[in-house]
Amino acid sequence: MAKQTQPRTGLLQGTLDMLILRTLLYGPAHGHQIGKHIQRTTNDFLQMQHGSLYPALHRLEERDWVTSQWETAPDRNREFKYYRLTETGRKQLVVEESQWKQMAEAVARVMWPTAEES
Amino acid sequence: MRWWKINKRDRDLERELLSDLELEEEEQREAGLSRNAALEAARRALGNTLLIREQTHEAWGWAPWERLAQDLRYAVRQLRRSPGFAVTAVVILGLGIGAATAVFSLIDAALLKTLPVRNPEQLVELKNIDPHVENDAFSYPTFQNLENQSVTLAGALAFRKLHNIDVEIDGRSELAEGQLVSGNYFPVLGVKAIQGRTILPSDESAAQNSVVVIGYDFWRTRFALDPGIVGKHVLLNNAPFIIIGVTEPEFYGVQPGEKVDISVPLNAIATVNPGFAATGSRVDAMTAAFRNWLQVMGRLQTGVSREKAQASLEPIFAKSMREASASLAGLPFDSPTVRQAFLQFRVRLDPASQGLASLRRQFFKPLWIVMAVVGLLLLITCANVANLLLARANAREKEIAVRLAMGAGKGRLIRQFLTESILLGLTGGVLGIGLAHWGSHSLLALMVRGRNPVVLSVPMDLTVLGFALAVSVLTALVFGTIPAWRAKDVNPSRGLAQNFHSSAGNRNRVGKLLVVFQVAISLVLVIGAGLLARSLANLNRFYPGFNRSNVLLFSVNPTIAGYKDVVPLYQQILSRISSIPGVRSASPSVHEPLSTNVSDTSVRVQGPTPWQGEVLTPVDIEPIGPAYFRTMETAIVRGREFTADDRDGTPKVAIVNESMARHFLGDTDPIGRMVSIPGYRGDASWVQIVGEVRDIKIHDLREPSTLMLYEPMFQVPEGGSAFEVRTEINPADAQSDVLGTVRAIDPRLPVYAVKSLDEQLEDSVVEERLVASLSEIFGLLALLLTCVGLYGLMAYTVNSRTGEIGIRMALGAERGRIARMVFGETLLLLACGMAIGVPAAIFASRFLASQLFGLNPGDPITFLIACALMAVIAMAASYMPARRAASVDPMQALRTE
């Protein structure tokens, strides 16, 4: 049961956190917007359900990487819960990004050895 | 996040998810889907909201607590649905936990608590030991040497109890308990004054020493917390003193169980007890190095071990003993043997963080026995509640099956059951604490009566509450584990089937085991209680060498009233009392019978010459008045007893008891022999033995025969005196006449310790009575609980076998046979319980051996009575179920089947 709300590709939890933080770099957004943005940018590759965002968002909030507030949307007369990146969140994003880069490079070096090494 | 925000956060989350869903739905409809299809698609896109919410709750970090709250809510609902069960279980648990907590609170107060002083773990008690005896008394010069020369003690203090000191405040006088303390007493202990100041080292050396510090309780009860207390004048034993301070409320002295109303400096001994102090003489208490009269405690320096401190005190003490020995020179009781005795003394340091050990020694064994008893009672309680829970678990089989079928984890199910048990345990614990609060005071009342009234405060403090909490949870785990464990074996598909009782048989097997266990433990308790009760009865029936009934006791203290020569007063009291109608005879003695005063004094008997190096045999010397043995109705074996003519100026005489005569003279007639008591009153002259009497138990009913030497108290007058009055009527009825007569002679004469000899004997067995009455109460409780357990089990058995009984009856079984079947099953359980309980009791009763009197631990009569009692109880418990079984209507039983 629990598997259904995880992204189909088995997105690692930390990666989802990173993606959310990166999305919020553009400015405050509510849950639906964050979900849509990730889906659109990955061309629906991740095929995740919106729902899986919320436990992650609340976890990030518990860690003080984001803050949230109910605000009226600029385009319509309704309140949404907007998430904002905090200063610690910004730092965390840098950390996660560099970790991800290191891993991706490590994996890449194994999978596609470059000419100069061979 | 704070836990109380969870509900708000949960609503917030719900709203958040809803708005996401609405947005998604709008988008889908804009994409051209129908209303219903759009909603469906939006739901798919969002995912399982319930799961999302659960996972979000996990992210908040309070999930385990939320689950616990859920379990608790559910447990409360379950218990409220069956209030009968809940109340029964809570009451049973409350009794068990309450008993354990009450007894523990006493153990805590009497045995475990440290003194309420600064760093009590550094305190040590100094003992003065030789190869034979352990003394706790030191002379003042020895104490000063130890105090001044020690490099391992941060300080030393000395004190001496002053019993029955006469305190006169504003013209009204009363008796109080006091102590003489060295100047260092309060500073070394770290006890402060809450009014004025405590006694200080400067008071000890001051020539003017008439200062007194009072205890908080005395300030409260006697002075109503008068804020102007400091500077008030009082008379102590008729000498003027001035109150300089009040000690902290927690402080009751260094002897747990005793109270200290007043404290005066050591050198005040000269004014409060001039006879004892002998100021200015060669035996002056403040200068004589051989007069051991002070108890001494010390405080170890930080980082110094007791062993190291003892080693460093040894040379100082040895030197003091050499000085003490040498200081005997020229005194009448000086002899090589006495001198040698001093040189044999060694100093020993005992831990004293809990104060002096006498109360602990007195109540250690009794209280731990009672604790063991309540421990067993608690086990019975657990078995009882476990049985109740088992019966309920069976009834809840269907509910468990439903929960399992809906996907509840087995771990979660076990946790749910344990939560219910712990809730029961804690509720029982709360009731128990209430019962314990009331019970510990009743228990204390049992301890307080006695020769040395025990003053203890038994507060429900954190230690006691912690104990109650621990016991509650522990019992809950014990009784809750069995049903919880069985719950996980329920098979959902079979459990849901109609009318299916999958494990009734299994439940019965566990239930029967529990009942057998209860019978066994109750039997141990009942046998133990029986042994103790019979011992107490034996003690009460025991012939102590005198006739205990119809004797009135009272004590007077003429020194306080200003008498110098007490003999004429005593003679007047005796002659006036003897002429009261209903009084047969009367006699004084220095100590009342069965008081704890023992005077071990070495004597020498003419004839058997001591061989070289023999330590003189100590005997107990009791000064008594004329007609003492006639009054006590003790047989005189040979010679005569003292008369009014044995007084100052007539030849000195003595009476020995049979043990002493046999010890020194074998079968030789002691009458006419001479005896000398060196080292006693400084008089080594020979006195003639004029009588021999039967041994009597003068200190303690259990004491082995002591060597006793009686002296005529009119030849050696001492201050206070007890009177024994033999009456022809009930001593309580003679009391007012007797006391009225004494008061008529001198209204200023303090009269105290008025009671009958019977009461005095009863008070001397206070520990025995404490243990016996508590084990009786708890034994009865155990029987009752076992009875309830047995009844429950048999009722359940009969109930679940109604169909079978119906068939048996339909096939021709008679009602009597059915009833016999139920009784037979009970008997089987009983036999199994006895087979375990009797050997267990034989084993356990060996630990009681030292408490028993006049019977063996394996006393067959007690065992038989206990077993018979158990059998009667068991049969009574199964009577109702048997009747119900016999009255089953076969038609109806078969129809329901």
Side-chain angles (χ1 to χ4, degrees):
Chain A
M1 273 170 93
K3 283 190 185 98
Q4 287 177 14
T5 47
Q6 292 294 323
R8 298 267 157 82
T9 45
L11 192 64
L12 297 167
Q13 204 172 51
T15 319
L16 181 60
D17 290 357
M18 182 175 72
L19 295 182
I20 293 171
L21 291 176
R22 181 65 186 78
T23 309
L24 288 177
L25 208 53
Y26 299 117
H30 56 73
H32 192 258
Q33 285 173 333
I34 300 169
K36 281 281 146 162
H37 177 260
I38 293 174
Q39 276 176 3
R40 257 199 307 277
T41 357
T42 59
N43 294 330
D44 278 343
F45 172 75
L46 292 176
Q47 290 193 13
M48 53 173 243
Q49 290 171 313
H50 295 169
S52 59
L53 275 179
Y54 290 99
L57 275 170
H58 282 259
R59 190 166 51 243
L60 296 181
E61 194 180 357
E62 276 304 305
R63 291 176 190 166
D64 285 331
W65 294 345
V66 300
T67 55
S68 69
Q69 201 161 7
W70 287 90
E71 281 166 27
T72 317
D75 51 341
R76 58 185 91 191
N77 192 19
R78 261 180 78 176
E79 275 203 330
F80 290 99
K81 193 174 182 186
Y82 281 91
Y83 290 89
R84 252 182 208 85
L85 205 54
T86 63
E87 209 35 58
T88 26
R90 233 174 263 277
K91 280 179 197 146
Q92 183 63 24
L93 179 58
V94 176
V95 173
E96 299 216 352
E97 200 183 337
S98 82
Q99 275 174 357
W100 175 255
K101 228 182 233 161
Q102 278 174 10
M103 192 170 85
E105 279 167 12
V107 171
R109 270 203 290 278
V110 174
M111 299 305 294
W112 309 283
T114 48
E116 70 227 54
E117 274 180 46
S118 54
Chain B
M1 187 185 62
R2 306 279 186 260
W3 60 268
W4 58 83
K5 285 190 187 152
I6 281 186
N7 279 341
K8 187 177 166 289
R9 287 282 295 259
D10 193 47
R11 281 196 302 276
D12 200 57
L13 177 67
E14 209 178 336
R15 188 176 160 205
E16 194 178 1
L17 292 175
L18 194 68
S19 71
D20 189 315
L21 195 66
E22 283 170 357
L23 268 182
E24 188 67 32
E25 194 193 338
E26 275 172 35
E27 282 177 17
Q28 298 286 357
R29 284 180 67 181
E30 278 162 20
L33 285 175
S34 76
R35 202 190 152 94
N36 280 347
L39 190 60
E40 278 299 304
R43 280 193 182 139
R44 265 199 306 280
L46 186 65
N48 180 346
T49 39
L50 210 61
L51 196 62
I52 293 164
R53 276 169 65 184
E54 239 175 58
Q55 285 174 345
T56 313
H57 276 254
E58 296 279 351
W60 293 340
W62 287 96
W65 299 100
E66 286 182 76
R67 277 196 291 273
L68 179 68
Q70 230 172 33
D71 282 346
L72 269 178
R73 262 200 307 278
Y74 192 70
V76 170
R77 216 180 307 151
Q78 279 292 328
L79 293 180
R80 280 174 55 177
R81 264 175 46 186
S82 36
F85 159 78
V87 168
T88 314
V90 165
V91 167
I92 291 176
L93 285 171
L95 285 174
I97 296 170
T101 307
V103 172
F104 176 80
S105 69
L106 273 191
I107 288 192
D108 182 46
L111 308 178
L112 306 178
K113 212 162 243 134
T114 53
L115 288 178
V117 302
R118 169 163 47 84
N119 300 342
E121 69 288 345
Q122 294 175 337
L123 293 179
V124 289
E125 179 185 359
L126 272 65
K127 288 285 174 61
N128 179 359
I129 57 167
D130 72 14
H132 309 288
V133 282
E134 176 185 306
N135 299 297
D136 51 14
F138 294 80
S139 72
Y140 183 67
T142 307
F143 161 66
Q144 279 190 314
N145 290 343
L146 293 171
E147 185 188 16
N148 298 334
Q149 295 167 27
S150 154
V151 287
T152 45
L153 293 183
L157 58 94
F159 64 98
R160 181 188 170 88
K161 289 289 291 177
L162 283 173
H163 292 296
N164 291 323
I165 188 161
D166 182 78
V167 183
E168 190 178 321
I169 308 150
D170 300 333
R172 279 205 304 140
S173 90
E174 64 185 82
L175 291 172
E177 291 296 301
Q179 60 177 1
L180 294 151
V181 300
S182 64
N184 262 341
Y185 182 91
F186 292 109
V188 168
L189 287 176
V191 171
K192 302 204 169 40
I194 56 162
Q195 287 278 327
R197 64 171 179 95
T198 62
I199 290 166
L200 295 172
S202 54
D203 293 310
E204 191 174 324
S205 45
Q208 189 59 26
N209 44 36
S210 50
V211 294
V212 53
V213 166
I214 63 174
Y216 181 86
D217 270 11
F218 196 62
W219 184 40
R220 185 172 53 82
T221 55
R222 193 59 192 76
F223 295 98
L225 302 178
D226 174 12
I229 184 73
V230 173
K232 210 168 166 58
H233 291 269
V234 292
L235 292 178
L236 301 183
N237 286 358
N238 271 336
F241 277 77
I242 181 162
I243 295 175
I244 55 164
V246 180
T247 52
E248 297 165 300
E250 304 81 34
F251 186 70
Y252 283 90
V254 292
Q255 177 102 53
E258 287 190 359
K259 62 170 182 167
V260 173
D261 298 322
I262 59 163
S263 303
V264 291
L266 279 187
N267 47 3
I269 183 78
T271 32
V272 293
N273 195 346
F276 180 89
T279 308
S281 75
R282 282 210 55 196
V283 294
D284 184 339
M286 297 302 284
T287 57
F290 53 84
R291 277 194 71 179
N292 292 341
W293 60 292
L294 292 168
Q295 285 180 282
V296 176
M297 285 174 76
R299 179 181 287 284
L300 297 175
Q301 272 179 6
T302 318
V304 172
S305 73
R306 205 150 42 82
E307 291 72 24
K308 197 172 159 212
Q310 180 169 324
S312 88
L313 286 182
E314 263 161 9
I316 305 172
F317 182 76
K319 185 164 165 284
S320 302
M321 286 304 105
R322 283 196 297 277
E323 288 167 13
S325 179
S327 74
L328 290 165
L331 286 163
F333 39 83
D334 182 24
S335 81
T337 331
V338 176
R339 285 194 183 205
Q340 190 56 38
F342 273 98
L343 299 178
Q344 286 191 340
F345 282 123
R346 295 284 171 273
V347 68
R348 194 182 75 203
L349 268 56
D350 288 350
S353 62
Q354 301 156 313
L356 306 188
S358 69
L359 182 82
R360 286 200 297 286
R361 257 202 300 272
Q362 188 187 2
F363 284 107
F364 185 83
K365 189 108 199 236
L367 281 179
W368 282 114
I369 288 175
V370 176
M371 196 70 215
V373 167
V374 292
L376 290 178
L377 184 72
L378 209 56
L379 280 181
I380 295 183
T381 321
C382 284
N384 238 342
V385 178
N387 236 339
L388 283 175
L389 280 175
L390 270 181
R392 239 168 75 84
N394 258 36
R396 285 172 65 180
E397 201 143 281
K398 206 161 272 178
E399 173 214 326
I400 297 164
V402 170
R403 298 182 61 176
L404 281 172
M406 290 186 61
K410 298 212 161 169
R412 186 75 198 273
L413 212 56
I414 291 179
R415 205 167 54 203
Q416 170 67 47
F417 267 77
L418 280 182
T419 309
E420 278 183 48
S421 302
I422 288 173
L423 182 68
L424 274 180
L426 289 179
T427 320
V430 170
L431 178 67
I433 288 169
L435 287 175
H437 185 67
W438 166 79
S440 59
H441 287 95
S442 319
L443 291 188
L444 196 59
L446 277 173
M447 284 169 77
V448 165
R449 283 200 60 186
R451 291 178 290 188
N452 312 312
V454 175
V455 182
L456 271 186
S457 58
V458 203
M460 285 282 136
D461 59 11
L462 280 181
T463 324
V464 176
L465 290 181
F467 174 84
L469 182 74
V471 167
S472 309
V473 173
L474 208 66
T475 43
L477 289 179
V478 171
F479 69 70
T481 306
I482 301 167
W485 200 246
R486 278 185 26 73
K488 78 170 184 38
D489 292 335
V490 169
N491 181 327
S493 59
R494 285 168 68 195
L496 283 172
Q498 204 74 45
N499 283 338
F500 183 78
H501 296 292
S502 63
S503 44
N506 193 4
R507 185 259 144 173
N508 251 1
R509 222 170 314 139
V510 180
K512 277 177 190 163
L513 272 178
L514 285 172
V515 165
V516 165
F517 172 73
Q518 286 186 48
V519 170
I521 294 183
S522 312
L523 205 55
V524 173
L525 289 182
V526 171
I527 288 172
L531 288 172
L532 292 165
R534 280 169 47 96
S535 289
L536 184 65
N538 283 347
L539 276 170
N540 284 336
R541 257 202 314 273
F542 178 70
Y543 179 69
F546 51 82
N547 179 359
R548 57 186 284 173
S549 49
N550 284 2
V551 175
L552 179 72
L553 303 176
F554 67 91
S555 296
V556 297
N557 194 338
T559 329
I560 292 172
Y563 285 85
K564 291 279 174 282
D565 184 8
V566 295
V567 176
L569 173 73
Y570 289 172
Q571 278 168 338
Q572 196 185 4
I573 291 176
L574 286 178
S575 74
R576 295 271 283 273
I577 288 178
S578 303
S579 61
I580 296 173
V583 170
R584 203 177 295 161
S585 67
S587 173
S589 61
V590 167
H591 303 123
E592 53 187 7
L594 289 141
S595 65
T596 42
N597 293 300
V598 184
S599 67
D600 271 339
T601 310
S602 302
V603 301
R604 193 176 292 162
V605 175
Q606 195 186 40
T609 33
W611 59 91
Q612 199 64 38
E614 182 206 24
V615 179
L616 295 180
T617 313
V619 304
D620 189 16
I621 299 178
E622 282 294 326
I624 56 170
Y628 182 79
F629 296 110
R630 184 154 70 89
T631 307
M632 295 294 279
E633 296 186 0
T634 298
I636 295 165
V637 183
R638 293 188 178 106
R640 63 168 177 94
E641 75 168 309
F642 301 136
T643 66
D645 291 331
D646 294 313
R647 55 175 198 271
D648 207 18
T650 59
K652 295 206 165 174
V653 292
I655 295 175
V656 296
N657 71 352
E658 280 186 308
S659 287
M660 179 169 170
R662 206 172 313 120
H663 178 88
F664 284 97
L665 301 160
D667 293 330
T668 327
D669 186 348
I671 307 298
R673 294 272 185 161
M674 305 303 268
V675 60
S676 137
I677 318 158
Y680 187 62
R681 296 174 213 282
D683 180 4
S685 60
W686 294 94
V687 300
Q688 193 178 32
I689 297 171
V690 295
E692 180 186 344
V693 293
R694 286 240 191 277
D695 287 1
I696 63 180
K697 304 290 180 195
I698 201 144
H699 309 300
D700 183 343
L701 292 179
R702 289 168 180 273
E703 72 183 342
S705 294
T706 0
L707 310 185
M708 295 281 312
L709 181 78
Y710 298 96
E711 293 181 303
M713 64 181 281
F714 288 171
Q715 287 184 340
V716 283
E718 282 202 16
S721 169
F723 281 82
E724 292 81 30
V725 182
R726 165 74 56 189
T727 56
E728 274 155 5
I729 51 175
N730 186 345
D733 297 333
Q735 183 174 324
S736 62
D737 281 348
V738 171
L739 297 188
T741 308
V742 176
R743 226 162 269 136
I745 294 169
D746 184 351
R748 291 172 309 140
L749 190 63
V751 177
Y752 57 97
V754 182
K755 53 177 131 179
S756 73
L757 183 55
D758 241 342
E759 288 170 328
Q760 174 82 346
L761 263 95
E762 275 175 27
D763 287 354
S764 77
V765 292
V766 60
E767 298 100 67
E768 286 87 349
R769 203 179 36 242
L770 173 81
V771 179
S773 37
L774 287 184
S775 15
E776 272 167 54
I777 294 168
F778 295 140
L780 277 178
L781 207 54
L783 270 184
L784 185 73
L785 288 177
T786 307
C787 181
V788 169
L790 201 55
Y791 166 80
L793 180 81
M794 294 320 289
Y796 178 84
T797 310
V798 167
N799 222 21
S800 59
R801 284 170 68 183
T802 311
E804 177 209 324
I805 294 168
I807 294 173
R808 280 172 188 267
M809 282 185 150
L811 290 177
E814 294 156 36
R815 295 190 181 278
R817 208 187 155 85
I818 299 289
R820 272 202 301 280
M821 188 177 81
V822 176
F823 280 126
E825 207 173 322
T826 310
L827 272 183
L828 187 67
L829 292 175
L830 188 68
C832 292
M834 283 179 178
I836 303 169
V838 169
I842 291 174
F843 174 76
S845 61
R846 288 191 318 190
F847 295 102
L848 293 180
S850 68
Q851 298 284 312
L852 299 185
F853 186 83
L855 77 173
N856 291 322
D859 182 55
I861 299 171
T862 312
F863 274 67
L864 271 177
I865 293 174
C867 287
L869 187 64
M870 194 74 236
V872 170
I873 292 282
M875 287 298 125
S878 56
Y879 173 75
M880 286 297 291
R883 237 180 78 149
R884 187 149 357 113
S887 61
V888 162
D889 178 358
M891 284 310 292
Q892 206 156 1
L894 289 175
R895 215 175 287 137
T896 30
E897 184 77 357

